[in-house]
Amino acid sequence: MSKKREKKKPVNEVLKAVSWHNMKIKEVYKKLETSDNGLGETEITSRLQYYGPNKLTITERFKILKMIWEQFTGFLVILLIIAAVISLIIGLMNYYRGEEAEEIIDAIAIFSIIIINAIIGFVQEYKSSQALEKLKKYFDQDVVVIRDGKADIIHASDLVPGDIVSLEMGDKIPADCRLITALNFKIDEAPLTGESTSITKNLAIVPEEARLHDRKNMIYSGTTSVYGRAQAVVIATGMSTEMGKIAELTQVKQELTPLQKALNKLGKVLGIIILVVCAVIMGVNLILGAELLESFEVAVALAISAVPEGLPAAIVITLAIGVSKMAKRKTIVSRLPAVETLGSVDYICSDKTGTLTRNEMTVKEVWTMGGKTEVGGSGYLLKGEFTSKGKKIRPMETPTLNKLIESVYHCNNAGVLRDESKISIKGDPTEAAMIVLAEKAEYTKNMLKKRDHEIFFDSDRKRMTTIHLDNGKKIAYMKGSPPVVLTRCNTILENDKITKMTKVKEQEIMDANLEMSTRALRVLAVAYKELPENYDKEKEEEIEDNMIFLGLTGMIDPARPEVKSAIEECERAGITTIMITGDQKATAIAVAKEVGIIKKKDDIVISGEEFAFLTDEELIEKIDQIKVYSRMSPKDKFRVVKTLQEKDHIVAVTGDGVNDAPALKKADIGVAMGITGTDVSKEVADMVITDDAFNTIVSAVEEGRNIFENMKKFIRYLLSCNFDEILSVLVIFAAFRVLPFLPLQILFLNLLTDALPALSLSFDPYDLELMKRPPRGKQSSFVKDIYFFAAVAGIIAFIGTVSAFLVGYLGIGERVITNWEAANGLTLTQQEFDHAVTAYSQMLAFVATLSFELWFVFIARNDNDTPLLKSKPFKNKYLIGAVLLSWALLLVVIYVPSLQMIFSGFKEFDVAYLLTGEDWLYILGFTIGLCIIIEIARYGLRSNTYKKLVAKIGIS
């Protein structure tokens, strides 16, 4: 072979579209220009240069600098950065002028919040991007290859199309290959297809349209040989393999969560409001003759009061608390925003094996001519009762049943390994189920008889036979496909006696086989016979002829007992659960019916073959009725998730294999399995459940909803408080050209006392009604029901703040300051006197605002549907503690003279003003009275008239 290639291509374009499974071996060799002797050295060098190494390449690298940059592109973050930069500039200007520079402290606090958020976001995104590195490990191995007619060991990365590879039990498949020889060769394809049992491979040509699961003559990179040996010719390497296609799908960019989208929208709304109001204030100030710099500084003070500096920190801390709570409920969250997204999920696309089921093949019943025996206990647990005709029995006391169990115990190459922490199997899961069946029947290893010979299972024979020594006798035990085993039997063990096999009995056996199969049980037939002492091992047909039929075993990977109730809870919560599996359609239907996924006659079950023929339009039309998808490829799963998202569903996807990685990455919430999950699935997922149980996902959704509700409470609280501060600064300054708060008072309000009660709302106890409500839709902003509330509450709070300021500024201020001046022996100029009146008014406004916020937090923690007294306002001990601490801090700031000098305008006089009982009468009267008014207003918000108005306006 010496065809000249023009240039190196990134993928095997020439070979990619070839239907290798539909070609004869000679045609495969001809297409690849290779032979049984493999490739020559010159040709290998040429192909390696042309096709590239057998490695995964990453087409879109998430560069570290790009990831860092993206942490600062959220609108709310940009708003904070602008506020911080301007504060820093003004603070530095004041510092160099020899004036006080409180703005520098404000800037440092805001920058600290921004940096902490960025670090957390970067770490999470970087960790997620490492999934591709995990995928590369599937190509990091040595492999036996035939080149120039000689066997050699090379690294898998040096493989090229046309190479001949030799494989044995336990080997990882290094590239996509077409089999050229196969001896009892079985492959575990679970990482690629999700198939729960090993697949027997052979050389038979399959139809061109056969899907991945059905290509029995093909083996794929990332899968593992579990039995037998084979030789194969490499047909695809690197990114052209099926594993490479999965790698491409995992490189989709992570979409923003509903929380991130809502915060961006909130940031834009706040930004527009702040810019408009600041522009108005600067314009008014300049028209009235103020200097440009002075006007700018006043506008910045307003901006700082308007920006909710504590909001990002409160969100991060709330999500972190949620992560901690979820960890206690067997859920590890790798991406903080995912915690909130969980509360929005309305679709769960669940894998079958290991999530809805135990991932432990279990014999559920045994059939003999004496009738059916039910086997209790699930999975690999030793506990299990045998029941026949409603009565408990001991298999060892029932000769026919005992003989059947003895047969499957010996005709077996599996093992079940147990230690204190886990149970694991060695070998085929089907055979492991037989071992467990025998152990439940009180068989032990010391009862095993020495094996003399084995006739291996293969896909043509569809049976397996082992010969054992038994006290001088030689006993042959057989298991396999019921029709095949039946043809090898001329007698049957019936009522503990060997009788002749008849057509009637054969039909009875096949009827029993059909009945068990329709319930998605995997059925194996069992037979035995005694051999002559000098039997000929070479005469396999003779050994396996004239067997004594014993019965049938029916097994299945059983559903987890808790799944059905968990799915019912999802249904009550407005969450639809569907199954997407690589397993057979009949098995998927049986499990789906058992756990309650399929309930209605119009529920659709679709196979991968049928799915492939659906157009995008047809899929969009039918997808809400499809409950079960079987025999699905990684690309199919990805398409299902994408289509659901296009219909505005918020989708959670569970998975454990490499084949699940694209769907896990595409989903709004990717949920990996902690026990059976591969490293790849765990890396791309947003969360990992440590016990692989479906009900743990439901618990996580429940926790996510609770976290969202608590988040909504403190956002409602913070926005109302900031709205009050914006209006107060705007109106007071426009009317009197003075600010109602000093910059440090604003900082105190926003970062300290606002933050403590807001954060304590993160610990609000769980609402028992949460899982009875439908999830919010993707298009509904999570601040939809907050805007009106914040505006109404903010206006009422604003009335209180302005009233307190005006009491001092236009009311009792002159009298109070005159008395204060006399009591402290001061003689003030008119300008100083006016300044003292302003400082007194600012203190009243500051204390009134803070007092109102500490009362108001108990109202803000309830939605509009719950009256204050019915909400058990004092059940959150953290909130009580935060409010008491905030009160203490407030009292310290206003009654400790040295601190009051820092936080009030009286520092100009070096003499503090201590609030009197009369002052507190005004403050508490205003603030408590306004809280009562807000609660009355909330009663109106609960009315149907208001709800109809909101729906009509369509506020979002």
Side-chain angles (χ1 to χ4, degrees):
M1 170 184 169
S2 59
K3 286 190 176 181
K4 186 176 180 181
R5 300 180 175 92
E6 296 178 3
K7 61 178 181 177
K8 177 181 174 181
K9 298 182 180 181
V11 294
N12 311 344
E13 293 180 0
V14 177
L15 307 178
K16 197 162 59 172
V18 178
S19 300
W20 302 104
H21 53 278
N22 188 236
M23 298 169 64
K24 295 178 180 179
I25 297 296
K26 288 182 179 180
E27 294 173 335
V28 173
Y29 278 170
K30 185 177 179 181
K31 187 74 177 176
L32 291 168
E33 299 181 35
T34 188
S35 68
D36 288 335
N37 292 325
L39 301 172
E41 186 175 340
T42 303
E43 184 60 28
I44 291 165
T45 303
S46 174
R47 294 194 185 196
L48 192 59
Q49 183 180 4
Y50 177 62
Y51 293 118
N54 182 31
K55 293 181 178 179
L56 294 184
T57 57
I58 300 173
T59 56
E60 182 183 349
R61 260 295 197 191
F62 290 109
K63 301 294 185 182
I64 290 179
L65 290 178
K66 181 183 177 184
M67 283 192 281
I68 293 173
W69 170 253
E70 288 177 347
Q71 308 311 314
F72 301 97
T73 55
F75 209 92
L76 188 57
V77 174
I78 292 172
L79 203 60
L80 290 173
I81 291 173
I82 293 171
V85 169
I86 295 175
S87 295
L88 182 62
I89 292 171
I90 293 176
L92 290 173
M93 290 172 61
N94 290 338
Y95 175 78
Y96 285 114
R97 288 199 302 249
E99 301 175 4
E100 294 186 3
E102 300 97 333
E103 294 86 358
I104 294 178
I105 299 173
D106 202 352
I108 292 172
I110 298 173
F111 275 128
S112 299
I113 292 168
I114 294 169
I115 290 170
I116 290 170
N117 285 338
I119 290 172
I120 293 172
F122 169 76
V123 169
Q124 292 162 350
E125 190 170 346
Y126 179 79
K127 185 177 180 183
S128 178
S129 71
Q130 294 306 294
L132 292 169
E133 299 299 326
K134 300 289 185 182
L135 273 172
K136 286 183 175 183
K137 290 185 178 180
Y138 285 92
F139 293 83
D140 187 16
Q141 58 179 308
D142 291 330
V143 59
V144 177
V145 64
I146 307 297
R147 289 179 170 178
D148 279 331
K150 298 178 182 178
D152 194 10
I153 298 176
I154 65 169
H155 194 271
S157 61
D158 294 327
L159 283 174
V160 295
D163 264 327
I164 307 297
V165 295
S166 295
L167 301 161
E168 294 186 354
M169 185 173 73
D171 288 343
K172 284 185 178 179
I173 309 305
D176 287 3
C177 305
R178 166 66 192 273
L179 287 172
I180 53 180
T181 65
L183 179 62
N184 306 322
F185 197 56
K186 293 185 179 182
I187 292 287
D188 175 13
E189 288 189 344
L192 189 64
T193 66
E195 189 79 51
S196 58
T197 58
S198 59
I199 306 299
T200 300
K201 296 291 184 174
N202 56 45
L203 307 184
I205 295 173
V206 295
E208 185 174 355
E209 64 274 11
R211 289 170 61 80
L212 201 67
H213 305 74
D214 302 316
R215 298 173 187 174
K216 304 300 184 185
N217 56 13
M218 299 290 296
I219 54 177
Y220 298 100
S221 63
T223 62
T224 305
S225 167
V226 296
Y227 198 81
R229 58 182 182 271
Q231 279 194 340
V233 57
V234 175
I235 57 93
T237 58
M239 292 300 287
S240 291
T241 63
E242 293 300 323
M243 193 64 67
K245 295 172 186 176
I246 290 175
E248 286 182 352
L249 289 175
T250 62
Q251 294 181 55
V252 295
K253 185 170 176 59
Q254 191 81 47
E255 295 186 9
L256 294 178
T257 68
L259 171 65
Q260 291 167 323
K261 292 176 183 177
L263 288 178
N264 279 342
K265 188 171 184 178
L266 175 61
K268 290 175 184 177
V269 172
L270 288 175
I272 292 169
I273 292 173
I274 290 167
L275 289 175
V276 170
V277 174
C278 287
V280 170
I281 283 189
M282 280 192 69
V284 171
N285 226 5
L286 291 171
I287 290 171
L288 294 175
E291 294 182 1
L292 179 62
L293 181 59
E294 179 189 355
S295 301
F296 183 68
E297 289 180 349
V298 171
V300 168
L302 172 61
I304 294 171
S305 72
V307 175
E309 294 98 331
L311 182 56
I315 289 173
V316 168
I317 293 172
T318 300
L319 294 176
I321 291 168
V323 168
S324 177
K325 288 181 178 178
M326 286 184 172
K328 295 176 182 177
R329 302 181 77 167
K330 302 178 181 179
T331 304
I332 300 170
V333 177
S334 59
R335 202 163 62 93
L336 281 185
V339 177
E340 179 273 337
T341 309
L342 271 171
S344 311
V345 166
D346 65 344
Y347 249 86
I348 297 178
C349 302
S350 179
D351 190 19
K352 177 186 72 69
T353 306
T355 308
L356 299 176
T357 66
R358 298 179 62 93
N359 194 24
E360 298 174 352
M361 288 298 288
T362 306
V363 177
K364 299 301 291 182
E365 63 183 59
V366 177
W367 182 92
T368 65
M369 288 301 286
K372 180 171 68 175
T373 300
E374 295 178 352
V375 184
S378 294
Y380 302 143
L381 299 176
L382 291 178
K383 295 180 180 179
E385 297 177 340
F386 292 78
T387 308
S388 178
K389 299 176 182 178
K391 296 180 180 179
K392 293 180 183 178
I393 62 171
R394 284 191 69 211
M396 287 190 176
E397 296 174 355
T398 308
T400 304
L401 180 60
N402 184 48
K403 196 66 179 180
L404 182 147
I405 294 174
E406 175 190 308
S407 298
V408 297
Y409 194 42
H410 286 85
C411 188
N412 203 304
N413 288 318
V416 179
L417 310 176
R418 293 181 172 85
D419 59 36
E420 293 181 359
S421 59
K422 64 178 182 178
I423 301 174
S424 58
I425 67 166
K426 182 179 180 181
D428 191 289
T430 300
E431 294 200 323
M434 299 294 189
I435 294 288
V436 176
L437 171 69
E439 290 178 344
K440 288 177 180 177
E442 303 177 63
Y443 273 78
T444 59
K445 289 182 179 180
N446 58 13
M447 298 169 67
L448 279 172
K449 300 163 186 173
K450 185 177 179 180
R451 181 175 295 189
D452 185 56
H453 183 57
E454 176 178 354
I455 305 175
F456 292 97
F457 174 92
D458 66 39
S459 57
D460 294 326
R461 290 166 23 82
K462 295 183 180 180
R463 63 185 184 271
M464 168 187 178
T465 303
T466 59
I467 295 95
H468 297 259
L469 305 178
D470 183 15
N471 296 323
K473 299 178 182 178
K474 294 182 179 179
I475 310 296
Y477 300 110
M478 175 190 288
K479 71 174 187 294
S481 166
V484 171
V485 171
L486 196 55
T487 62
R488 313 302 300 184
C489 299
N490 62 352
T491 55
I492 183 170
L493 189 62
E494 181 180 8
N495 296 324
D496 307 332
K497 294 179 182 179
I498 298 174
T499 60
K500 186 178 179 181
M501 181 70 72
T502 64
K503 293 291 183 182
V504 174
K505 292 175 182 177
E506 285 181 0
Q507 188 59 50
E508 188 176 349
I509 292 167
M510 293 310 297
D511 288 346
N513 172 52
L514 179 62
E515 191 276 331
M516 294 168 76
S517 298
T518 55
R519 290 186 282 120
L521 293 176
R522 185 176 186 186
V523 185
L524 290 179
V526 185
Y528 85 107
K529 80 172 185 179
E530 185 176 339
L531 293 172
E533 187 174 343
N534 59 347
Y535 77 96
D536 188 346
K537 294 180 180 179
E538 299 299 321
K539 296 181 178 179
E540 294 182 349
E541 285 292 317
E542 186 177 304
I543 293 172
E544 294 182 322
D545 203 13
N546 299 322
M547 302 290 287
I548 303 168
F549 190 86
L550 290 170
L552 307 172
T553 61
M555 68 193 76
I556 196 170
D557 180 10
R560 290 176 178 267
E562 70 277 5
V563 167
K564 188 171 185 178
S565 60
I567 289 177
E568 289 172 351
E569 186 175 0
C570 284
E571 194 172 351
R572 288 193 295 271
I575 302 170
T576 301
T577 304
I578 64 173
M579 179 196 295
I580 305 180
T581 179
D583 224 332
Q584 300 285 349
K585 190 172 184 177
T587 306
I589 291 173
V591 174
K593 286 181 177 179
E594 184 178 351
V595 300
I597 290 177
I598 295 177
K599 287 185 175 180
K600 303 173 184 175
K601 289 184 179 180
D602 58 350
D603 288 341
I604 299 174
V605 179
I606 191 169
S607 67
E609 291 79 3
E610 297 163 332
F611 182 81
F613 286 105
L614 288 179
T615 65
D616 290 342
E617 293 74 20
E618 289 172 333
L619 180 59
I620 288 173
E621 183 182 343
K622 293 182 177 181
I623 198 164
D624 288 327
Q625 281 75 49
I626 302 175
K627 301 300 180 184
V628 176
Y629 301 81
S630 68
R631 307 292 279 175
M632 298 289 278
S633 70
K635 192 173 181 179
D636 293 336
K637 295 180 184 180
F638 186 91
R639 185 185 174 201
V640 170
V641 176
K642 183 173 178 287
T643 305
L644 286 170
Q645 289 174 330
E646 288 172 355
K647 293 200 72 175
D648 291 333
H649 292 295
I650 296 178
V651 185
V653 172
T654 74
D656 56 4
V658 175
N659 62 311
D660 298 313
L664 287 170
K665 187 73 177 287
K666 177 63 178 171
D668 297 287
I669 291 288
V671 185
M673 304 295 107
I675 298 173
T676 59
T678 59
D679 288 342
V680 176
S681 65
K682 292 175 186 176
E683 289 289 349
V684 300
D686 301 294
M687 53 183 271
V688 178
I689 53 176
T690 59
D691 62 353
D692 289 13
F694 182 84
N695 63 315
T696 301
I697 303 171
V698 180
S699 297
V701 170
E702 185 178 75
E703 191 64 54
R705 288 194 176 188
N706 187 49
I707 289 165
F708 168 72
E709 287 300 313
N710 289 345
M711 199 179 298
K712 194 163 68 172
K713 293 171 186 177
F714 68 66
I715 292 175
R716 181 162 54 211
Y717 172 64
L718 288 175
L719 287 186
S720 299
C721 295
N722 277 82
F723 197 77
D724 160 32
E725 293 165 20
I726 292 172
L727 282 178
S728 299
V729 172
L730 177 61
V731 172
I732 296 297
F733 183 82
F736 305 107
R737 290 194 63 199
V738 296
L739 292 171
F741 312 111
L742 294 175
L744 272 182
Q745 290 174 337
I746 293 174
L747 181 63
F748 191 90
L749 284 168
N750 284 359
L751 290 182
L752 190 59
T753 44
D754 273 5
L756 285 174
L759 287 176
S760 66
L761 290 173
S762 305
F763 295 93
D764 239 24
Y766 174 72
D767 184 353
L768 297 176
E769 298 296 313
L770 274 181
M771 290 299 282
K772 297 179 182 177
R773 304 173 192 166
R776 65 190 189 279
K778 182 176 272 188
Q779 296 303 321
S780 64
S781 169
F782 88 118
V783 292
K784 178 178 180 179
D785 61 343
I786 291 176
Y787 283 144
F788 260 156
F789 181 90
V792 172
I795 290 171
I796 294 174
F798 152 77
I799 293 171
T801 300
V802 171
S803 299
F805 182 85
L806 294 180
V807 164
Y809 200 74
L810 299 179
I812 65 174
E814 291 188 2
R815 172 173 61 81
V816 169
I817 294 304
T818 300
N819 294 337
W820 172 77
E821 179 184 18
N824 289 282
L826 301 174
T827 302
L828 306 178
T829 64
Q830 185 60 47
Q831 185 177 359
E832 290 172 333
F833 185 86
D834 291 342
H835 179 81
V837 170
T838 301
Y840 169 70
S841 305
Q842 288 172 331
M843 182 177 287
L844 286 181
F846 168 62
V847 176
T849 299
L850 197 43
S851 300
F852 170 80
E853 290 174 0
L854 296 180
W855 303 129
F856 173 67
V857 69
F858 292 100
I859 297 174
R861 65 178 288 273
N862 302 303
D863 58 32
N864 294 332
D865 294 325
T866 310
L868 177 62
L869 296 179
K870 286 188 178 180
S871 68
K872 300 178 182 178
F874 305 114
K875 67 179 180 180
N876 185 343
K877 61 182 180 181
Y878 297 101
L879 178 59
I880 302 300
V883 169
L884 292 175
L885 179 58
S886 296
W887 271 112
L889 291 171
L890 173 61
L891 295 175
V892 167
V893 163
I894 61 178
Y895 282 113
V896 174
S898 59
L899 289 175
Q900 193 193 104
M901 291 297 98
I902 299 173
F903 284 93
S904 78
F906 287 99
K907 59 188 172 184
E908 302 291 335
F909 311 103
D910 202 26
V911 178
Y913 173 81
L914 305 180
L915 292 180
T916 65
E918 182 184 8
D919 297 327
W920 280 109
L921 188 63
Y922 284 115
I923 291 169
L924 296 179
F926 282 134
T927 56
I928 295 175
L930 289 172
C931 284
I932 294 172
I933 292 173
I934 289 178
E935 187 60 21
I936 294 172
R938 289 177 71 241
Y939 177 79
L941 295 178
R942 290 195 293 272
S943 68
N944 291 328
T945 304
Y946 165 75
K947 291 178 181 178
K948 289 178 182 177
L949 175 64
V950 171
K952 185 176 181 180
I953 296 175
I955 296 174
S956 60

